[in-house]
Amino acid sequence: MIIRKNAAAGTMESSDALVTVSPADELIVEITSVVYTQYGKAIEACVKETLSSLGVSAGKITVADKGAIDCVIAARVETAVRRAEE
């Protein structure tokens, strides 16, 4: 899957995450989170697993997390990526 344009999914509400994606030559994942100290590695693993399952190998992925659980993060990443491929 190729990220062809900028796209976003999610909100900055509590227990949610705002995921933005844009085209890039390599895979870049940037994460900011209110719980990064405790769960930063788990959030990054969730994002990378979701990208891998979608076949994304390049693009800039930015996640602004406000305490979302893994399934919410995965859903936001998938939605943003699918919006970016259209």
Side-chain angles (χ1 to χ4, degrees), residues 19-72:
V19 176
T20 57
V21 300
S22 57
D25 293 331
E26 61 184 341
L27 185 62
I28 303 164
V29 177
E30 295 177 352
I31 299 169
T32 57
S33 175
V34 296
V35 292
Y36 191 83
T37 303
Q38 297 89 356
Y39 300 106
K41 290 182 182 179
I43 294 167
E44 185 173 351
C46 178
V47 170
K48 288 185 176 179
E49 273 182 36
T50 304
L51 293 171
S52 177
S53 72
L54 295 170
V56 176
S57 59
K60 182 177 180 183
I61 317 310
T62 304
V63 179
D65 172 56
K66 292 291 186 176
I69 58 176
D70 285 356
C71 61
V72 172

